[in-house]
Amino acid sequence: MARAIIKKASEADERRPFVSHGEASVLNMGALSIGRGYFEPGWQWSKHVKPIAGTETCEVVHTLSVLSGRMHVQMNDGQELDLEPGDVAFIPSGHDAWVVGNEPCRVVDFTGAEDYARASREEQEQPSLQ
């Protein structure tokens, strides 16, 4: 039988800093990982997470709620989204995104935390040459 879990959102199990301009934090809740994203003004996935992920665009699927700030998402197929506080969005894999304006953007992600801002599985599986 599963046990109930309660954690403080401010006490992440894992923190994943971006190259700059923010970080993702992960709360492991049994079978579910919940992400919290903090994106500073000037943040863009293709500049600040792409070097970590090692993919051309973000390949993580997100189901997120925007708490503050604004973000623009551009899908590989050309669809564009503007997210603002109070929005709940489903964002499939294959996109770039960036903060709009001078306010940090904060989100809670219910489906993308497991692999977000983490080296690709291929890179993780390669043996070290040290």
Side-chain angles (χ1 to χ4, degrees):
M1 183 161 137
R3 297 192 42 90
I5 300 170
I6 186 169
K7 294 185 176 186
K8 298 288 184 200
S10 60
E11 297 173 7
D13 294 307
E14 184 179 356
R15 294 197 184 285
R16 298 179 192 156
F18 304 146
V19 171
S20 66
H21 290 79
E23 71 174 18
S25 57
V26 179
L27 290 142
N28 296 312
M29 305 294 289
L32 176 66
S33 293
I34 298 172
R36 293 181 43 203
Y38 175 73
F39 309 91
E40 296 173 354
W43 175 88
Q44 184 170 0
W45 186 92
S46 56
K47 294 177 183 174
H48 303 107
V49 182
K50 178 179 178 177
I52 298 166
T55 56
E56 195 57 35
T57 59
C58 182
E59 297 302 323
V60 173
V61 176
H62 305 280
T63 307
L64 56 82
S65 176
V66 180
L67 305 177
S68 64
R70 289 174 167 46
M71 184 175 291
H72 184 83
V73 179
Q74 183 170 15
M75 303 299 301
N76 290 352
D77 68 5
Q79 181 184 16
E80 297 191 35
L81 311 165
D82 288 307
L83 305 175
E84 60 185 35
D87 286 348
V88 176
F90 172 75
I91 304 170
S93 64
H95 58 272
D96 193 5
W98 53 89
V99 171
V100 175
N102 295 320
E103 180 183 356
C105 183
R106 296 177 189 268
V107 304
V108 176
D109 191 350
F110 297 97
T111 58
E114 183 68 27
D115 293 318
Y116 188 72
R118 170 179 277 179
S120 69
R121 296 212 186 272
E122 292 81 26
E123 289 182 26
Q124 292 174 6
E125 293 170 1
Q126 289 180 356
S128 175
L129 299 175
Q130 296 181 14

